[in-house]
Amino acid sequence: MSSFDEDDFIQLNPEELRVRVRSNTETNVIASNQLTYSYKDTETYIDRYLSLEKLEEEKVRTVKHWLKDDTVEHISWYKLDEEGVEQFRALQQHPVLQDKDREGTFELSVQTVYTEDSPMQFLLSADLLLDPEDGYFTLFYDLEIDQTPSNPQDSQ
């Protein structure tokens, strides 16, 4: 992934993109999520949010640990929805990204919204599949999500 750049981005097939979300919960904690793309150079800033839809398959598995108790892991997969595919293709054709002399930086990420019944605290990991031949790479791993209100009055 370290060698992945804007030229590689332009060559991607948006219909093959997948996001895999893993949590240490028994149920899905994601209400919705988006794939975000940003590009920045000295003159241009592009910031796009591409909508994802959940694929039907979900998996809950037990993760065995050697020196600690076993844990549970919920896994769900997402792909760009029809609108997201169209937006992705339009982004690939953006004049700035087509310019071979560009000197900017870009980033792909995932933004998530949690379900109302998600636990107050859990761990979340997200992986991105850009090309099926290359496999997934991790965007973030065991990110500690804490939805506990910071002001005790907020929970009343």
Side-chain angles (χ1 to χ4, degrees), residues 15-30:
E15 293 167 338
E16 292 180 344
L17 280 165
R18 296 291 183 268
V19 173
R20 177 176 60 194
V21 177
R22 298 173 285 131
S23 66
N24 66 337
T25 62
E26 292 193 21
T27 59
N28 186 18
V29 295
I30 304 296

PDB file of all heavy atoms in Angstrom, residues 15-30:
ATOM      1  N   GLU A  15     -16.193  -0.839  -8.657  1.00  0.00           N
ATOM      2  CA  GLU A  15     -17.115  -1.918  -8.315  1.00  0.00           C
ATOM      3  C   GLU A  15     -16.434  -3.040  -7.536  1.00  0.00           C
ATOM      4  O   GLU A  15     -17.097  -3.872  -6.934  1.00  0.00           O
ATOM      5  CB  GLU A  15     -17.784  -2.452  -9.578  1.00  0.00           C
ATOM      6  CG  GLU A  15     -18.714  -1.400 -10.180  1.00  0.00           C
ATOM      7  CD  GLU A  15     -19.182  -1.725 -11.577  1.00  0.00           C
ATOM      8  OE1 GLU A  15     -18.510  -2.526 -12.272  1.00  0.00           O
ATOM      9  OE2 GLU A  15     -20.212  -1.176 -11.968  1.00  0.00           O
ATOM     10  N   GLU A  16     -15.102  -3.067  -7.530  1.00  0.00           N
ATOM     11  CA  GLU A  16     -14.366  -4.089  -6.788  1.00  0.00           C
ATOM     12  C   GLU A  16     -13.960  -3.623  -5.391  1.00  0.00           C
ATOM     13  O   GLU A  16     -13.506  -4.422  -4.578  1.00  0.00           O
ATOM     14  CB  GLU A  16     -13.110  -4.505  -7.557  1.00  0.00           C
ATOM     15  CG  GLU A  16     -13.409  -5.250  -8.836  1.00  0.00           C
ATOM     16  CD  GLU A  16     -12.159  -5.650  -9.592  1.00  0.00           C
ATOM     17  OE1 GLU A  16     -11.070  -5.110  -9.302  1.00  0.00           O
ATOM     18  OE2 GLU A  16     -12.276  -6.508 -10.485  1.00  0.00           O
ATOM     19  N   LEU A  17     -14.102  -2.334  -5.115  1.00  0.00           N
ATOM     20  CA  LEU A  17     -13.726  -1.814  -3.792  1.00  0.00           C
ATOM     21  C   LEU A  17     -14.586  -2.450  -2.705  1.00  0.00           C
ATOM     22  O   LEU A  17     -15.801  -2.589  -2.871  1.00  0.00           O
ATOM     23  CB  LEU A  17     -13.929  -0.300  -3.732  1.00  0.00           C
ATOM     24  CG  LEU A  17     -12.851   0.553  -4.342  1.00  0.00           C
ATOM     25  CD1 LEU A  17     -13.353   1.967  -4.534  1.00  0.00           C
ATOM     26  CD2 LEU A  17     -11.620   0.551  -3.481  1.00  0.00           C
ATOM     27  N   ARG A  18     -13.957  -2.808  -1.594  1.00  0.00           N
ATOM     28  CA  ARG A  18     -14.681  -3.352  -0.450  1.00  0.00           C
ATOM     29  C   ARG A  18     -14.107  -2.754   0.826  1.00  0.00           C
ATOM     30  O   ARG A  18     -12.904  -2.489   0.918  1.00  0.00           O
ATOM     31  CB  ARG A  18     -14.560  -4.883  -0.364  1.00  0.00           C
ATOM     32  CG  ARG A  18     -15.183  -5.633  -1.527  1.00  0.00           C
ATOM     33  CD  ARG A  18     -16.697  -5.526  -1.527  1.00  0.00           C
ATOM     34  NE  ARG A  18     -17.298  -6.301  -2.588  1.00  0.00           N
ATOM     35  CZ  ARG A  18     -17.583  -5.836  -3.793  1.00  0.00           C
ATOM     36  NH1 ARG A  18     -17.294  -4.588  -4.123  1.00  0.00           N
ATOM     37  NH2 ARG A  18     -18.162  -6.601  -4.688  1.00  0.00           N
ATOM     38  N   VAL A  19     -14.989  -2.561   1.788  1.00  0.00           N
ATOM     39  CA  VAL A  19     -14.585  -2.152   3.125  1.00  0.00           C
ATOM     40  C   VAL A  19     -15.043  -3.262   4.056  1.00  0.00           C
ATOM     41  O   VAL A  19     -16.190  -3.703   3.998  1.00  0.00           O
ATOM     42  CB  VAL A  19     -15.225  -0.805   3.536  1.00  0.00           C
ATOM     43  CG1 VAL A  19     -14.931  -0.485   4.995  1.00  0.00           C
ATOM     44  CG2 VAL A  19     -14.735   0.320   2.632  1.00  0.00           C
ATOM     45  N   ARG A  20     -14.146  -3.715   4.899  1.00  0.00           N
ATOM     46  CA  ARG A  20     -14.463  -4.734   5.896  1.00  0.00           C
ATOM     47  C   ARG A  20     -14.352  -4.066   7.262  1.00  0.00           C
ATOM     48  O   ARG A  20     -13.332  -3.452   7.579  1.00  0.00           O
ATOM     49  CB  ARG A  20     -13.488  -5.901   5.788  1.00  0.00           C
ATOM     50  CG  ARG A  20     -13.693  -6.975   6.833  1.00  0.00           C
ATOM     51  CD  ARG A  20     -12.761  -8.154   6.621  1.00  0.00           C
ATOM     52  NE  ARG A  20     -11.366  -7.732   6.702  1.00  0.00           N
ATOM     53  CZ  ARG A  20     -10.340  -8.471   6.292  1.00  0.00           C
ATOM     54  NH1 ARG A  20     -10.544  -9.648   5.732  1.00  0.00           N
ATOM     55  NH2 ARG A  20      -9.104  -8.026   6.413  1.00  0.00           N
ATOM     56  N   VAL A  21     -15.425  -4.165   8.044  1.00  0.00           N
ATOM     57  CA  VAL A  21     -15.444  -3.563   9.377  1.00  0.00           C
ATOM     58  C   VAL A  21     -15.546  -4.685  10.401  1.00  0.00           C
ATOM     59  O   VAL A  21     -16.403  -5.565  10.283  1.00  0.00           O
ATOM     60  CB  VAL A  21     -16.626  -2.575   9.538  1.00  0.00           C
ATOM     61  CG1 VAL A  21     -16.662  -2.011  10.947  1.00  0.00           C
ATOM     62  CG2 VAL A  21     -16.516  -1.457   8.517  1.00  0.00           C
ATOM     63  N   ARG A  22     -14.661  -4.634  11.393  1.00  0.00           N
ATOM     64  CA  ARG A  22     -14.627  -5.651  12.440  1.00  0.00           C
ATOM     65  C   ARG A  22     -14.778  -4.977  13.800  1.00  0.00           C
ATOM     66  O   ARG A  22     -14.207  -3.915  14.039  1.00  0.00           O
ATOM     67  CB  ARG A  22     -13.298  -6.411  12.389  1.00  0.00           C
ATOM     68  CG  ARG A  22     -13.101  -7.155  11.080  1.00  0.00           C
ATOM     69  CD  ARG A  22     -11.724  -7.772  10.929  1.00  0.00           C
ATOM     70  NE  ARG A  22     -10.735  -6.728  10.640  1.00  0.00           N
ATOM     71  CZ  ARG A  22      -9.589  -6.598  11.284  1.00  0.00           C
ATOM     72  NH1 ARG A  22      -9.251  -7.413  12.251  1.00  0.00           N
ATOM     73  NH2 ARG A  22      -8.748  -5.639  10.952  1.00  0.00           N
ATOM     74  N   SER A  23     -15.566  -5.596  14.665  1.00  0.00           N
ATOM     75  CA  SER A  23     -15.719  -5.078  16.032  1.00  0.00           C
ATOM     76  C   SER A  23     -15.703  -6.238  17.016  1.00  0.00           C
ATOM     77  O   SER A  23     -15.930  -7.387  16.630  1.00  0.00           O
ATOM     78  CB  SER A  23     -17.034  -4.293  16.179  1.00  0.00           C
ATOM     79  OG  SER A  23     -18.136  -5.164  16.025  1.00  0.00           O
ATOM     80  N   ASN A  24     -15.441  -5.940  18.271  1.00  0.00           N
ATOM     81  CA  ASN A  24     -15.438  -6.981  19.301  1.00  0.00           C
ATOM     82  C   ASN A  24     -16.826  -7.097  19.933  1.00  0.00           C
ATOM     83  O   ASN A  24     -16.977  -7.171  21.142  1.00  0.00           O
ATOM     84  CB  ASN A  24     -14.361  -6.703  20.355  1.00  0.00           C
ATOM     85  CG  ASN A  24     -14.629  -5.454  21.160  1.00  0.00           C
ATOM     86  OD1 ASN A  24     -15.345  -4.558  20.712  1.00  0.00           O
ATOM     87  ND2 ASN A  24     -14.070  -5.381  22.355  1.00  0.00           N
ATOM     88  N   THR A  25     -17.839  -7.118  19.094  1.00  0.00           N
ATOM     89  CA  THR A  25     -19.227  -7.227  19.532  1.00  0.00           C
ATOM     90  C   THR A  25     -19.888  -8.401  18.815  1.00  0.00           C
ATOM     91  O   THR A  25     -19.371  -8.882  17.812  1.00  0.00           O
ATOM     92  CB  THR A  25     -20.014  -5.948  19.209  1.00  0.00           C
ATOM     93  OG1 THR A  25     -20.023  -5.759  17.782  1.00  0.00           O
ATOM     94  CG2 THR A  25     -19.391  -4.725  19.878  1.00  0.00           C
ATOM     95  N   GLU A  26     -21.031  -8.833  19.324  1.00  0.00           N
ATOM     96  CA  GLU A  26     -21.736  -9.943  18.684  1.00  0.00           C
ATOM     97  C   GLU A  26     -22.687  -9.483  17.586  1.00  0.00           C
ATOM     98  O   GLU A  26     -23.161 -10.287  16.798  1.00  0.00           O
ATOM     99  CB  GLU A  26     -22.495 -10.757  19.733  1.00  0.00           C
ATOM    100  CG  GLU A  26     -21.545 -11.488  20.650  1.00  0.00           C
ATOM    101  CD  GLU A  26     -22.225 -12.543  21.487  1.00  0.00           C
ATOM    102  OE1 GLU A  26     -23.323 -12.993  21.119  1.00  0.00           O
ATOM    103  OE2 GLU A  26     -21.647 -12.912  22.503  1.00  0.00           O
ATOM    104  N   THR A  27     -22.971  -8.194  17.542  1.00  0.00           N
ATOM    105  CA  THR A  27     -23.877  -7.664  16.529  1.00  0.00           C
ATOM    106  C   THR A  27     -23.202  -6.509  15.786  1.00  0.00           C
ATOM    107  O   THR A  27     -22.202  -5.958  16.241  1.00  0.00           O
ATOM    108  CB  THR A  27     -25.190  -7.142  17.152  1.00  0.00           C
ATOM    109  OG1 THR A  27     -24.863  -6.126  18.094  1.00  0.00           O
ATOM    110  CG2 THR A  27     -25.946  -8.265  17.843  1.00  0.00           C
ATOM    111  N   ASN A  28     -23.792  -6.141  14.677  1.00  0.00           N
ATOM    112  CA  ASN A  28     -23.269  -5.038  13.872  1.00  0.00           C
ATOM    113  C   ASN A  28     -23.446  -3.719  14.622  1.00  0.00           C
ATOM    114  O   ASN A  28     -24.540  -3.412  15.088  1.00  0.00           O
ATOM    115  CB  ASN A  28     -24.002  -4.988  12.528  1.00  0.00           C
ATOM    116  CG  ASN A  28     -23.419  -3.972  11.586  1.00  0.00           C
ATOM    117  OD1 ASN A  28     -22.294  -3.522  11.766  1.00  0.00           O
ATOM    118  ND2 ASN A  28     -24.176  -3.619  10.581  1.00  0.00           N
ATOM    119  N   VAL A  29     -22.400  -2.942  14.745  1.00  0.00           N
ATOM    120  CA  VAL A  29     -22.467  -1.647  15.435  1.00  0.00           C
ATOM    121  C   VAL A  29     -22.528  -0.476  14.456  1.00  0.00           C
ATOM    122  O   VAL A  29     -22.618   0.673  14.870  1.00  0.00           O
ATOM    123  CB  VAL A  29     -21.270  -1.454  16.396  1.00  0.00           C
ATOM    124  CG1 VAL A  29     -21.312  -2.466  17.530  1.00  0.00           C
ATOM    125  CG2 VAL A  29     -19.946  -1.524  15.648  1.00  0.00           C
ATOM    126  N   ILE A  30     -22.488  -0.759  13.160  1.00  0.00           N
ATOM    127  CA  ILE A  30     -22.434   0.294  12.141  1.00  0.00           C
ATOM    128  C   ILE A  30     -23.829   0.552  11.580  1.00  0.00           C
ATOM    129  O   ILE A  30     -24.457  -0.331  11.017  1.00  0.00           O
ATOM    130  CB  ILE A  30     -21.490  -0.100  10.987  1.00  0.00           C
ATOM    131  CG1 ILE A  30     -20.098  -0.428  11.504  1.00  0.00           C
ATOM    132  CG2 ILE A  30     -21.457   0.985   9.922  1.00  0.00           C
ATOM    133  CD1 ILE A  30     -19.375   0.729  12.142  1.00  0.00           C
TER     134      ILE A  30
END
